[in-house]
Amino acid sequence: AQSVTQPDIHITVSEGASLELRCNYSYGATPYLFWYVQSPGQGLQLLLKYFSGDTLVQGIKGFEAEFKRSQSSFNLRKPSVHWSDAAEYFCAVVSTSGGSYIPTFGRGTSLIVHP
Amino acid sequence: ETGVTQTPRHLVMGMTNKKSLKCEQHLGHNAMYWYKQSAKKPLELMFVYSLEERVENNSVPSRFSPECPNSSHLFLHLHTLQPEDSALYLCASSQGGAIYTGELFFGEGSRLTVL
């Protein structure tokens, strides 16, 4: 079964600084990979996804993520963080075998942005 | 209305009550999900209805009972809950099958408090 690890529970950055949120997955083949964001009191919203092809994926709100097969990682990055980026971020993986396509989510990383 | 709508947004109930959570999606999707979100835990998949087939997490207690009368509506019936069931319950939908895109569209959640 696939699993997702987000090693950082909290990340604190200053506004304008760069950001990297880590995500590692465990799966025998190349899965589908996703990053979602959840603002307080809201549901989750998709930031970006990777299925195949170019390993650097661009998403909404200036976010990007890079798939590294050798490290089983799919880290989320942003060059300059805005105060409105403070939220909970979830990495998710979907198995590409079996046909069920049900995502498994990580525990989430809470991003705190200092002015 | 657009997207995924959940009602009620907040629910307080006693352990002997019977209540239901409702979810409606206006996206034309063919799969709907219930997730449980507890503080500092991974999102827990409870139930999936996909292309008329129900998939469930076998660890979900029987006091939670889903109902999916059609592809646009999903209910979660609650009966004799425990205080540890207090959580945010998220509904999501997706387009599965041959035109699978991977993206889940979430509602804003129903915050449940069991006294």
Side-chain angles (χ1 to χ4, degrees):
Chain A
Q2 70 257 23
S3 65
V4 180
T5 302
Q6 293 181 248
D8 304 305
I9 297 175
H10 302 282
I11 290 282
T12 301
V13 299
S14 298
E15 191 170 14
S18 63
L19 170 70
E20 183 169 33
L21 302 182
R22 295 183 291 166
C23 173
N24 293 96
Y25 66 90
S26 173
Y27 182 61
T30 300
Y32 295 155
L33 297 160
F34 305 81
W35 275 100
Y36 287 83
V37 61
Q38 184 180 30
S39 298
Q42 303 293 315
L44 280 70
Q45 179 187 19
L46 182 70
L47 283 176
L48 47 78
K49 62 185 178 184
Y50 174 79
F51 279 14
S52 64
D54 192 346
T55 57
L56 186 62
V57 180
Q58 302 297 320
I60 63 171
K61 304 185 181 186
F63 285 92
E64 66 178 28
E66 185 171 13
F67 169 60
K68 292 186 177 179
R69 184 191 307 275
S70 62
Q71 299 176 19
S72 297
S73 70
F74 188 56
N75 294 348
L76 182 71
R77 300 194 296 245
K78 187 170 185 178
S80 178
V81 171
H82 188 263
W83 65 266
S84 59
D85 293 325
E88 193 86 13
Y89 291 80
F90 294 90
C91 183
V93 60
V94 170
S95 168
T96 56
S97 65
S100 63
Y101 297 107
I102 296 174
T104 299
F105 286 85
R107 290 176 177 266
T109 297
S110 179
L111 175 63
I112 301 164
V113 181
H114 283 315
Chain B
E1 292 206 38
T2 59
V4 180
T5 304
Q6 290 186 242
T7 55
R9 292 292 311 278
H10 299 273
L11 178 63
V12 179
M13 58 187 289
M15 291 193 290
T16 58
N17 291 158
K18 289 184 183 180
K19 297 286 184 182
S20 297
L21 305 180
K22 178 183 176 182
C23 177
E24 184 173 2
Q25 60 97 359
H26 306 271
L27 301 168
H29 290 163
N30 57 13
M32 296 188 76
Y33 308 72
W34 279 117
Y35 280 90
K36 177 183 179 182
Q37 186 176 31
S38 303
K40 301 311 173 188
K41 292 184 179 180
L43 280 171
E44 177 187 350
L45 177 67
M46 301 178 74
F47 302 101
V48 180
Y49 280 87
S50 178
L51 300 173
E52 309 296 321
E53 180 181 338
R54 181 172 118 183
V55 177
E56 60 192 274
N57 182 342
N58 290 330
S59 67
V60 177
S62 59
R63 56 186 181 267
F64 294 92
S65 174
E67 178 189 0
C68 190
N70 55 60
S71 61
S72 298
H73 294 86
L74 184 64
F75 296 88
L76 187 62
H77 303 301
L78 315 170
H79 175 54
T80 321
L81 296 191
Q82 303 299 309
E84 60 264 30
D85 298 322
S86 298
L88 182 68
Y89 290 84
L90 291 166
C91 175
S93 70
S94 70
Q95 186 61 37
I99 48 176
Y100 172 74
T101 63
E103 180 175 359
L104 293 183
F105 290 79
F106 284 85
E108 294 181 322
S110 293
R111 173 69 63 186
L112 173 65
T113 302
V114 181
L115 301 177

